Each structure stands twice: as C-alpha cells, then as structure tokens.
Amino acid sequence: MAEPIKVLVTGAAGQIAYSLLFSIAKGDVFGKDQPIILVLLDIPPMMPVLDGVVMELQDCALPLLTDVILTNQEDVAFRDLDIAILVGSMPRKEGMERKDLLKANGRIFKSQGEALDKYAKKSVKVLVVGNPANTNCLIAVKYAPSIPKENFSCLTRLDHNRARSQVAIRCHVPATDVKNVIIWGNHSSTQYPDVHHCVVNMSGNKVACFDAVKDEEWLKGEFITTVQKRGAAVIKARKLSSAMSAAKAICDHLRDIWNGTPENDFISMGVYSSGNPYGVPDDLIYSFPVKIKDKTWKIVDGLAINEFSRSKMDETAKELVEEKEMALAFLTA
Ligand code: NAX
C-alpha cells in the first residue's frame, strides 16, 4: 500500500462537499490503492454539522480512509497537504451579483493563500471551487508565493461537462462521445463555451460538431447562453446552487490532474495565464483547453480562432481583469 495522501476539503459541511466526500474517500479520484487522510475545514458554527458528516464517513466503512481530521483552524487544516480543494465560501444566492461575492470571498482566499504558503507541501495541488472561482484562485496564488503558480487551478469542468451534455443530447449520443469542447475564460455568464474544435462520435465516425449538430444558429446562440446561464437556471429551480454535478466535475478535474488526460483529448480548466498562445492577458486565472501529463498541465497550442470566438474570448478576459482589479482594491484598501 502507498503512503496516505492528505486531502483538504474546505466548506466541508456544505452541500457540494456532501456529494463529494464519499467519491474521494472511496478511491474514485486518486485510485483504489491510494489511502487517504481527509481534512475537513469549516467555520465554527458548522462544527456540529461536520460531526455528523464525519459519523457518516465512518459508517461507510471505507478501506482507503485512514483518518479524518475535522477542524475550524487554518493552521491545522493546511498542514502538509498534498491536495487542497477550496470549496468553502459564500454561495451565490438568487439575484446576487458576482461583485458582492468578490468582497466577501476575497478575504477568505487571502487568508487561505497565506495558510497554503505557510503550512502546505510545496508540491500541493490546489483546486478552487468557491465563487467567484477564477478570481478567488488568483488571490490564493498571490498570497502563496512559495508555491508554484502552476499548482493552482479553478473549476470550469462543470461548464465543460454542461457543454458536452448539451451537444450530446442534441446528437442523441452519450456525453462521452462528445470530445474537446472548450470553456474559455471566467466561470461566469461571460464564459465562452466553444465547439469549433469539438468532435462527436456518430456511429463510429468522428464528425466535427457543426456537421453533427447541423444547426449553426443554435450552436452560436442558444447553446452558448444555455451553458452560460445553467448555474442560474439550477438555482432558480432548486433554490440552491449546483451540488451533485459540481462534485462530479471536481472528481473529473482532480482525476485528470492525478492521472493525466487521454492522448487525443483536452479538457477545460482555469489556470494561470502567462505568455499563453491565445493572447489572453497575463496574470489572470483564465479557463483554457489543457492536456495533462505527469501531473502538469499544458495549454493546447495552435487551435484556429475565428473572429466570433476572438470577441467572446476577449469579453470574458475583460470581466476577469475588472474582477481582479476590484478584488485587489478591496484587499489593499
Ligand atoms: P454551501 O453554502 O452549501 O457550503 C459552503 C460551506 O462553506 C458552508 O458550510 C460554509 O460554512 C463554509 N465556509 C464559509 N466560509 C468558510 C471558510 N472561511 N472556511 C471554510 N469553510 C467556509 O455552498 P455549496 O453549494 O457547497 O457551494 C460552495 C461554493 O461553490 C460556492 O461559492 C458556490 O458558488 C461554488 N460553486 C462553484 C462552481 C464552479 O463550477 N466553480 C459550481 C458549483 C457552485 O456554484
């Protein structure tokens, strides 16, 4: 048996964590031979709830779960981590602006960035889920200067999966037969779900998405807005933000970081922009198409970008620049 890895989940008493913890603890993400120490962080008022979550994890009688550490202290939570999944934050409620979230969450991610810097392993892989995920991730990067920027990413895999499924439903194929959709930019309604490089497996033949769907107007209109506004649609229906699908996306994201992506496939994740091939401004956490090998991501190079895509990629970059400036202003005020 391998040495256990230490995996932190923040916001561990929340609804995403409730869907996530079982999958991680039973080996769906890091493998069936990888023992795990789960570290669960939440705020003091949530400790009784977290007690219940720990009881349930114990009651699952899982062979890989070596230990569970429950805490409301960052110096305990962030110590010697291999993986940090930063879910805890204030979730977006119906009608709430992302800008309201920036202020509330900036402080949390500054403090957690500092804790990562001070206590975690320098090899720690950090996934930010709590919204606004891209900017929160950028703040954590900035306050953890001793950890390589490449170790940080934010979740846009849920948007990626949503885009895949919308195309799959339209083509009457399983979602796994739809590959290489791209989410560019921010995990917000300015994100650009791009299917210009997407391929659909139609009865064994690889068909370009536009030829498979045969409805350019839909792909350039309603498809994009459906994916962009899916989070809001789920909130409207459930009165709660996405949880089951978010937990599944977190598992997909981390499994790919741990094991790599298949040879000809790429996936979307928010990563640090620095001299990227698509002219996206530096010093943002922007969602790109990436391939992963040896636990290291690389932006997929050489994809043709038409004018339609360019303007949408720029629009979402502009929003991220504004969010960054606002968040940094709040933090330095
Ligand atoms: P919940 O409100 O159910 O849970 C959040 C938990 O975080 C609560 O238990 C709260 O006490 C805890 N928390 C708050 N501040 C904390 C801190 N400083 N340290 C540790 N824990 C803290 O929200 P949930 O539905 O689980 O959503 C969590 C976050 O994920 C939200 O910000 C939400 O907007 C975001 N999402 C991000 C997605 C993405 O694709 N990037 C999709 C799903 C989701 O909307």
Side-chain angles (χ1 to χ4, degrees):
M1 267 289 192
E3 281 291 301
I5 54 168
K6 221 170 165 190
V7 180
L8 166 69
V9 178
T10 73
Q15 53 149 5
I16 292 179
Y18 194 74
S19 294
L20 174 68
L21 293 171
F22 176 60
S23 297
I24 292 177
K26 86 183 215 292
D28 286 354
V29 177
F30 302 106
K32 303 287 179 198
D33 299 323
Q34 178 58 65
I36 286 176
I37 298 170
L38 266 181
V39 187
L40 308 181
L41 176 73
D42 212 297
I43 53 176
M46 299 307 283
M47 288 298 109
V49 176
L50 212 46
D51 279 334
V53 174
V54 173
M55 282 186 236
E56 284 210 64
L57 280 167
Q58 289 167 345
D59 296 348
C60 289
L62 295 164
L64 295 173
L65 191 58
T66 313
D67 197 5
V68 184
I69 299 167
L70 174 164
T71 184
N72 54 37
Q73 300 297 318
E74 287 179 349
D75 58 343
V76 175
F78 285 84
R79 202 167 289 277
D80 300 327
L81 292 180
D82 296 285
I83 303 279
I85 311 171
L86 308 184
V87 183
S89 60
M90 184 188 289
R92 184 157 54 107
K93 303 254 166 59
E94 204 173 351
M96 196 173 172
E97 283 289 318
R98 290 181 70 78
K99 291 180 178 61
D100 303 330
L101 281 185
L102 275 171
K103 197 169 183 179
N105 287 313
R107 281 190 220 103
I108 296 177
F109 286 85
K110 175 183 179 217
S111 170
Q112 295 189 350
E114 288 167 342
L116 282 164
D117 199 51
K118 209 162 165 189
Y119 302 114
K121 287 184 184 168
K122 299 304 169 200
S123 57
V124 64
K125 301 288 186 194
V126 182
L127 167 60
V128 176
V129 178
N131 275 319
N134 301 54
T135 300
N136 288 341
C137 185
L138 185 67
I139 291 168
V141 166
K142 288 191 178 295
Y143 285 91
S146 69
I147 295 171
K149 294 179 173 60
E150 295 72 28
N151 291 17
F152 290 79
S153 56
C154 88
L155 190 76
T156 55
R157 187 60 169 267
L158 175 55
D159 310 293
H160 181 100
N161 287 346
R162 285 165 173 165
R164 249 179 129 176
S165 272
Q166 287 300 312
V167 171
I169 291 163
R170 195 79 175 194
C171 295
H172 309 289
V173 298
T176 43
D177 282 343
V178 178
K179 301 221 158 141
N180 299 352
V181 300
I182 304 169
I183 302 297
W184 299 99
N186 201 357
H187 169 70
S188 78
S189 57
T190 67
Q191 66 175 261
Y192 170 41
D194 176 6
V195 287
H196 287 90
H197 308 280
C198 165
V199 175
V200 185
N201 183 343
M202 303 284 281
S203 317
N205 297 317
K206 287 185 177 163
V207 181
C209 182
F210 278 86
D211 297 329
V213 171
K214 294 193 184 73
D215 188 344
E216 188 173 341
E217 195 185 326
W218 180 77
L219 279 173
K220 289 186 158 177
E222 196 186 325
F223 159 73
I224 293 176
T225 50
T226 299
V227 176
Q228 287 173 331
K229 295 180 181 163
R230 188 67 156 189
V234 170
I235 291 175
K236 189 153 189 263
R238 254 172 47 86
K239 311 290 173 221
L240 287 168
S241 55
S242 308
M244 174 174 56
S245 54
K248 159 67 166 57
I250 292 169
C251 293
D252 289 347
H253 180 115
L254 289 171
R255 196 184 303 112
D256 284 345
I257 287 188
W258 208 247
N259 301 314
T261 46
E263 188 60 25
N264 293 316
D265 297 359
F266 49 79
I267 51 94
S268 309
M269 59 189 227
V271 295
Y272 188 72
S273 64
S274 171
N276 64 88
Y278 297 103
V280 169
D282 283 352
D283 195 35
L284 296 177
I285 297 286
Y286 188 96
S287 180
F288 287 100
V290 302
K291 290 186 175 198
I292 304 167
K293 203 176 167 193
D294 299 330
K295 299 189 171 53
T296 305
W297 55 263
K298 198 170 176 304
I299 295 173
V300 178
D301 203 350
L303 299 173
I305 305 295
N306 63 20
E307 263 181 48
F308 179 84
S309 295
R310 183 77 256 165
S311 72
K312 295 203 172 304
M313 287 160 67
D314 291 346
E315 189 190 333
T316 187
K318 186 166 168 272
E319 183 184 51
L320 281 170
V321 171
E322 285 165 11
E323 278 190 15
K324 171 173 95 169
E325 284 167 1
M326 205 178 300
L328 292 178
F330 285 141
L331 287 175
T332 50

